[in-house]
Amino acid sequence: MAKAVKFDRLGGPEVLELRDVEIGEPGPGELRIRVEAIGLNRAEVMFRDGTYFYQPDFPSGLGYEAAGVVEAVGHGVEGFSVGDTIGVVPAFLLTDYATYGDHVLVPAAATVHRPASVSPEQAAAVWMAYLTAYGALVENGRTRPGDHVLITAASSSVGLAAIQTALHIGAVPIATTRTADKKQRLLDAGAAHVVVDGEDLPSRLKEITGGTGVRTAFDPVAGPGVEAIAEGIAAGGHLIVYGALDPRTTPLPNAQSFPALTTSTYTLFEITTDSRRLARGVAFVNAGLTTGSFKPVVDKTFDLTEIAEAHRYMESNAQVGKIVVTV
């Protein structure tokens, strides 16, 4: 028997329950892992309350990320052995697999080896954040040294990873935040500049960039605010929208108003479900972890028995960095 977080209806954190479940042996292409730490993501909150882009099948599990140890290897799996320390990357639907538990089955294709220098807590804070930033800024955005990169909602784990990724490339990260009390923490995290809600964003971006605007904007919020972002992007620049935290309609800039601006939406699955792109991303992230360029920021940890409290804390938006659940 194992322990797993389950829920039977949509709702707030109170719907989450820790239950006894039978885990079984891994099937073809699967691994069974003993979980040591779990990284929480905003997507899981949205999946739990019914606002994600697909709906749960009840009873449902949760969890895209984990760090742990391989306990059993399914038929046809190569490159993994019992005892290997690993990380789980978001490369599956939550209706198929879930990582909120002490022992879980995961697809081997969604599993990567964990560098010995990286703790379970750090490993649980890595893959969603850094692969999301890598895919948008490196694979799709082709960010270059010297480019100015706007990172909105930058105190999230993805935002902080994007700051570090921009610096790793040699670009100039400009962060935004809703509250002034997070400004210094973002500067300490490596942001070259921080713009707080209430400031005139296009004017500040033009001021920072000497009038040209940023080359890339990386935004998880969407909604009407993308128009102000677009005004601060340089000719030939890119607006990459990777989330929908604002549920209102998103008026993506049109060709008439912004003729030299390209806009696109982006999801992490573009990277994690393509074996070649994922291999490049894993190599990029592991190199950054090994050299110390990438340092996952863990804001707060909870025990698995405190999963509802962990979700409440995420919904408070008080965190700077990743919320991690230990097992």
Side-chain angles (χ1 to χ4, degrees), residues 105-217:
L105 298 176
V106 294
T111 308
V112 298
H113 289 282
R114 187 173 89 220
S117 60
V118 179
S119 70
E121 292 80 10
Q122 288 178 309
V126 167
W127 295 109
M128 175 71 88
Y130 286 87
L131 285 177
T132 298
Y134 164 81
L137 299 184
V138 180
E139 286 272 341
N140 292 5
R142 296 185 176 90
T143 304
R144 305 164 302 198
D147 285 348
H148 287 88
V149 178
L150 175 67
I151 302 161
T152 62
S155 60
S156 70
S157 58
V158 174
L160 294 175
I163 290 172
Q164 294 179 19
T165 299
L167 291 172
H168 187 65
I169 295 167
V172 182
I174 303 168
T176 74
T177 181
R178 290 193 299 177
T179 58
D181 60 339
K182 292 182 178 180
K183 180 175 181 177
Q184 188 58 50
R185 295 184 69 176
L186 289 170
L187 291 170
D188 293 342
H193 306 273
V194 177
V195 182
V196 179
D197 274 12
E199 297 185 70
D200 186 322
L201 180 62
S203 296
R204 287 284 289 122
L205 294 179
K206 294 292 177 67
E207 175 189 343
I208 291 167
T209 60
T212 61
V214 300
R215 181 172 182 269
T216 302

Side-chain angles (χ1 to χ4, degrees), residues 204-287:
R204 287 284 289 122
L205 294 179
K206 294 292 177 67
E207 175 189 343
I208 291 167
T209 60
T212 61
V214 300
R215 181 172 182 269
T216 302
F218 184 46
D219 175 56
V221 181
V226 297
E227 292 186 320
I229 294 172
E231 291 177 19
I233 299 177
H238 311 285
L239 168 61
I240 302 172
V241 179
Y242 72 98
L245 296 178
D246 188 330
R248 294 176 292 176
T249 300
T250 301
L252 287 178
N254 58 60
Q256 291 181 334
S257 301
F258 301 93
L261 172 67
T262 61
T263 65
S264 62
T265 57
Y266 163 77
T267 73
L268 174 62
F269 292 111
E270 296 176 33
I271 302 299
T272 60
T273 59
D274 182 318
S275 60
R276 290 174 298 178
R277 298 184 92 194
L278 177 59
R280 291 196 294 267
V282 169
F284 181 86
V285 174
N286 276 337

Side-chain angles (χ1 to χ4, degrees), residues 32-87:
R32 189 180 73 226
I33 66 169
R34 174 174 56 82
V35 178
E36 296 175 298
I38 302 159
L40 268 59
N41 296 288
R42 184 72 58 177
E44 293 145 14
V45 170
M46 298 173 71
F47 186 69
R48 186 208 71 219
D49 66 19
T51 57
Y52 201 40
F53 72 93
Y54 62 93
Q55 296 295 303
D57 298 325
F58 298 121
S60 179
L62 266 179
Y64 274 128
E65 286 184 284
V69 179
V70 175
E71 286 189 323
V73 179
H75 178 72
V77 174
E78 298 181 353
F80 293 96
S81 302
V82 172
D84 284 353
T85 55
I86 54 85

